[in-house]
Amino acid sequence: MTASLVISAPASGVGKTTLTLALARAYRDRGLKVQCFKSGPDYIDTAFHAAAAGRTSVNIDSWAMHREAIEALASRGANADLVLAEGSMGLFDGVATRGLSGTGATSDIAEMMGWPVLLVIDPSGQAQTAAAVAAGLRDFRAGVRLAGVVLNRVASTRHEDLVRRAMAGAGIAVFGALPRHAAISLPKRHLGLVQAEEQGEVDGLIAEAARFIAEHVDLDAVLQSAACASTAPCAAHGPSVKPPGQRIALARDGAFSFVYPHMLEAWRAAGAEIATFSPLADEGPDDSADVCWMPGGYPELHAGQLAANRQFRRALKSFAETRPVHGECGGYMVLGTALTEGGGTRHEMTGLLGLETSFAQRRMHLGYRLAELALPMPGYQARALLRGHEFHYSTIVSQPDTPLAIVRDATGAVVAETGSRRGYATGTFFHLIAEDR
């Protein structure tokens, strides 16, 4: 039996990630084994979780995963003392149409797993109304249980007292109140937080956040509020994910790092080997591999360097003459003919596909995707149904190749980003989460 909490909030940007990281490190410093999860399709937060807790964090997603798969992933908390599952957006925010086991809302996971919710409330510009917000969240869905709240960005002692009194009147426990403290802010980028592996100071930031939280939050009370949930080892399998080959050459560096941890684990569990290479270091895929996988990331920040790395481009083109190469989002863009960065400079990419993209006029593409393959891609045959998630700010300048799939959003509406195929090269704008079966 493992103490478990879901860290959520009324909205994005309130402080869920910072609190999750701080609590994970603070309890780890006390000698507890902490297992983190991320509700939803975020591939950045899990890397921060791993840095804070010292254990791999994985995504659990009610839209893209069956309940059995979520329970199988959650069972990795069986040998932990505390599970901390960070939510996404607001507690009840999800898509309009239900997926495999829910709408993708954090509340789905909280109810499904029986994990109580620790709310982060930012009472800026409010006082007693903050208690009304917390009470509304507590009472909105019967199967979701509120453990209590932590107040973030409290303006003064008087402000804190007003909010605490109102929370007490509503029967809501306040475990702590955090004054504004810029030193524990984590850098942001257009897709969210800057990646953990990019920040040399990330461990120091997390340590400072843990120290700060320990001063202002009753860690004993938070731990006592965590339900003892059954997270025993599970015989069920995780999400249905097939390895794209037996030996996989995986691009992995500052430009290509958006790959879900459960994907890599599933590949290895199926007996596949993974050999990483760095396009930024002008490396090509391992020639002994039978498939190359180019994940997403931030290639637009490194477009000039990637264009100049001739050895990488030659090696990738040579590989693609006889073996499959697949790109997701940023990796897909690099497989294309050209990428125009935000300032308007156009850079030649590898040319394995005809896709040309541009960040000169930013347009957000965000949401779950259900794709029916029209053509095969590594690991999957035509007509396979795949669930994934798309998030980028690029626009398509041209895409002359054969569409790879019919792609729909969570409501069933067809989207224009079909992915494409040319020869052995394939690509999609969505990041694969699991097969729909």
Side-chain angles (χ1 to χ4, degrees), residues 357-379:
T357 52
S358 174
F359 288 84
Q361 293 184 329
R362 286 160 49 93
R363 180 187 170 197
M364 185 171 71
H365 301 261
L366 171 66
Y368 286 116
R369 299 291 184 256
L370 179 61
E372 180 180 358
L373 294 181
L375 299 168
M377 61 171 267

Short mmCIF file of all heavy atoms in Angstrom, two decimals, residues 357-379:
data_model
loop_
_atom_site.label_atom_id
_atom_site.label_comp_id
_atom_site.label_asym_id
_atom_site.label_seq_id
_atom_site.Cartn_x
_atom_site.Cartn_y
_atom_site.Cartn_z
N THR A 357 8.35 23.42 -43.81
CA THR A 357 7.63 24.04 -42.69
C THR A 357 8.24 25.39 -42.36
O THR A 357 9.40 25.69 -42.71
CB THR A 357 7.67 23.15 -41.44
OG1 THR A 357 9.03 22.78 -41.18
CG2 THR A 357 6.84 21.91 -41.64
N SER A 358 7.46 26.21 -41.65
CA SER A 358 7.92 27.55 -41.29
C SER A 358 7.39 27.95 -39.92
O SER A 358 6.25 27.66 -39.57
CB SER A 358 7.44 28.56 -42.33
OG SER A 358 7.76 29.88 -41.92
N PHE A 359 8.26 28.61 -39.16
CA PHE A 359 7.89 29.20 -37.88
C PHE A 359 7.77 30.72 -37.99
O PHE A 359 7.58 31.39 -36.98
CB PHE A 359 8.92 28.85 -36.81
CG PHE A 359 8.89 27.42 -36.37
CD1 PHE A 359 9.56 26.44 -37.08
CD2 PHE A 359 8.19 27.04 -35.24
CE1 PHE A 359 9.53 25.12 -36.69
CE2 PHE A 359 8.15 25.71 -34.83
CZ PHE A 359 8.82 24.75 -35.56
N ALA A 360 7.87 31.25 -39.20
CA ALA A 360 7.85 32.70 -39.39
C ALA A 360 6.50 33.29 -38.98
O ALA A 360 6.43 34.40 -38.44
CB ALA A 360 8.16 33.05 -40.84
N GLN A 361 5.44 32.57 -39.25
CA GLN A 361 4.12 32.97 -38.79
C GLN A 361 3.60 31.85 -37.90
O GLN A 361 3.07 30.85 -38.37
CB GLN A 361 3.17 33.22 -39.97
CG GLN A 361 3.56 34.43 -40.81
CD GLN A 361 2.56 34.71 -41.91
OE1 GLN A 361 1.92 33.81 -42.44
NE2 GLN A 361 2.42 35.98 -42.27
N ARG A 362 3.77 32.06 -36.60
CA ARG A 362 3.46 31.00 -35.64
C ARG A 362 1.95 30.74 -35.56
O ARG A 362 1.14 31.67 -35.49
CB ARG A 362 3.96 31.39 -34.25
CG ARG A 362 5.46 31.28 -34.09
CD ARG A 362 5.95 32.12 -32.92
NE ARG A 362 5.20 31.90 -31.69
CZ ARG A 362 5.53 31.03 -30.75
NH1 ARG A 362 6.61 30.29 -30.90
NH2 ARG A 362 4.81 30.91 -29.65
N ARG A 363 1.61 29.47 -35.59
CA ARG A 363 0.22 29.06 -35.40
C ARG A 363 0.22 27.79 -34.57
O ARG A 363 0.88 26.80 -34.93
CB ARG A 363 -0.46 28.80 -36.75
CG ARG A 363 -1.91 28.37 -36.60
CD ARG A 363 -2.51 27.95 -37.93
NE ARG A 363 -3.81 27.32 -37.75
CZ ARG A 363 -4.43 26.58 -38.65
NH1 ARG A 363 -3.84 26.36 -39.83
NH2 ARG A 363 -5.60 26.05 -38.41
N MET A 364 -0.50 27.82 -33.46
CA MET A 364 -0.48 26.68 -32.55
C MET A 364 -1.35 25.54 -33.09
O MET A 364 -2.49 25.74 -33.49
CB MET A 364 -0.99 27.08 -31.17
CG MET A 364 -0.87 25.94 -30.15
SD MET A 364 -1.23 26.44 -28.45
CE MET A 364 -3.00 26.69 -28.54
N HIS A 365 -0.77 24.34 -33.09
CA HIS A 365 -1.49 23.11 -33.40
C HIS A 365 -1.41 22.24 -32.15
O HIS A 365 -0.32 21.79 -31.77
CB HIS A 365 -0.84 22.38 -34.59
CG HIS A 365 -0.80 23.20 -35.84
ND1 HIS A 365 -1.71 23.08 -36.85
CD2 HIS A 365 0.06 24.18 -36.22
CE1 HIS A 365 -1.43 23.93 -37.83
NE2 HIS A 365 -0.35 24.61 -37.47
N LEU A 366 -2.54 21.99 -31.54
CA LEU A 366 -2.54 21.34 -30.22
C LEU A 366 -3.72 20.40 -30.10
O LEU A 366 -4.85 20.79 -30.41
CB LEU A 366 -2.60 22.39 -29.12
CG LEU A 366 -2.81 21.90 -27.68
CD1 LEU A 366 -1.61 21.09 -27.21
CD2 LEU A 366 -3.07 23.08 -26.75
N GLY A 367 -3.48 19.19 -29.66
CA GLY A 367 -4.58 18.30 -29.34
C GLY A 367 -4.28 16.84 -29.58
O GLY A 367 -3.28 16.46 -30.21
N TYR A 368 -5.16 16.00 -29.06
CA TYR A 368 -5.07 14.56 -29.29
C TYR A 368 -5.33 14.25 -30.76
O TYR A 368 -6.06 14.98 -31.45
CB TYR A 368 -6.09 13.82 -28.44
CG TYR A 368 -5.76 13.74 -26.97
CD1 TYR A 368 -6.57 14.36 -26.02
CD2 TYR A 368 -4.66 13.03 -26.53
CE1 TYR A 368 -6.29 14.28 -24.67
CE2 TYR A 368 -4.36 12.94 -25.18
CZ TYR A 368 -5.18 13.57 -24.25
OH TYR A 368 -4.90 13.48 -22.91
N ARG A 369 -4.76 13.16 -31.23
CA ARG A 369 -4.94 12.73 -32.61
C ARG A 369 -5.20 11.22 -32.65
O ARG A 369 -4.53 10.43 -31.98
CB ARG A 369 -3.68 13.04 -33.44
CG ARG A 369 -3.34 14.53 -33.52
CD ARG A 369 -4.38 15.29 -34.34
NE ARG A 369 -4.02 16.70 -34.49
CZ ARG A 369 -4.60 17.69 -33.81
NH1 ARG A 369 -5.55 17.42 -32.92
NH2 ARG A 369 -4.23 18.95 -34.03
N LEU A 370 -6.18 10.85 -33.49
CA LEU A 370 -6.45 9.45 -33.80
C LEU A 370 -6.20 9.26 -35.29
O LEU A 370 -6.87 9.87 -36.12
CB LEU A 370 -7.89 9.08 -33.45
CG LEU A 370 -8.31 7.63 -33.75
CD1 LEU A 370 -7.48 6.64 -32.95
CD2 LEU A 370 -9.80 7.43 -33.45
N ALA A 371 -5.21 8.45 -35.61
CA ALA A 371 -4.78 8.29 -37.00
C ALA A 371 -5.06 6.89 -37.50
O ALA A 371 -4.75 5.90 -36.82
CB ALA A 371 -3.28 8.59 -37.12
N GLU A 372 -5.65 6.79 -38.68
CA GLU A 372 -5.79 5.53 -39.38
C GLU A 372 -4.77 5.52 -40.52
O GLU A 372 -4.86 6.32 -41.45
CB GLU A 372 -7.19 5.35 -39.94
CG GLU A 372 -7.38 4.03 -40.67
CD GLU A 372 -8.77 3.84 -41.24
OE1 GLU A 372 -9.62 4.73 -41.03
OE2 GLU A 372 -9.00 2.80 -41.88
N LEU A 373 -3.80 4.63 -40.43
CA LEU A 373 -2.73 4.61 -41.41
C LEU A 373 -3.25 4.21 -42.79
O LEU A 373 -3.92 3.17 -42.93
CB LEU A 373 -1.62 3.67 -40.98
CG LEU A 373 -0.81 4.05 -39.73
CD1 LEU A 373 0.28 3.02 -39.47
CD2 LEU A 373 -0.20 5.45 -39.87
N ALA A 374 -2.93 5.01 -43.79
CA ALA A 374 -3.24 4.66 -45.17
C ALA A 374 -2.10 3.83 -45.77
O ALA A 374 -2.31 3.07 -46.70
CB ALA A 374 -3.47 5.92 -45.99
N LEU A 375 -0.91 4.03 -45.22
CA LEU A 375 0.29 3.32 -45.65
C LEU A 375 1.02 2.82 -44.42
O LEU A 375 0.85 3.37 -43.32
CB LEU A 375 1.20 4.26 -46.45
CG LEU A 375 0.62 4.86 -47.73
CD1 LEU A 375 1.52 5.99 -48.23
CD2 LEU A 375 0.47 3.79 -48.80
N PRO A 376 1.86 1.80 -44.54
CA PRO A 376 2.59 1.33 -43.36
C PRO A 376 3.65 2.33 -42.91
O PRO A 376 4.16 3.13 -43.70
CB PRO A 376 3.22 0.02 -43.84
CG PRO A 376 3.28 0.12 -45.32
CD PRO A 376 2.11 0.96 -45.73
N MET A 377 3.97 2.28 -41.63
CA MET A 377 5.10 3.00 -41.05
C MET A 377 5.82 2.05 -40.12
O MET A 377 5.27 0.98 -39.80
CB MET A 377 4.63 4.26 -40.31
CG MET A 377 3.71 4.00 -39.14
SD MET A 377 3.38 5.46 -38.12
CE MET A 377 4.68 5.29 -36.87
N PRO A 378 7.02 2.35 -39.70
CA PRO A 378 7.77 1.40 -38.87
C PRO A 378 6.98 0.91 -37.65
O PRO A 378 6.54 1.72 -36.83
CB PRO A 378 9.00 2.20 -38.45
CG PRO A 378 9.21 3.13 -39.59
CD PRO A 378 7.83 3.53 -40.03
N GLY A 379 6.78 -0.40 -37.58
CA GLY A 379 6.07 -1.02 -36.48
C GLY A 379 4.60 -1.27 -36.73
O GLY A 379 3.98 -2.06 -36.02
#
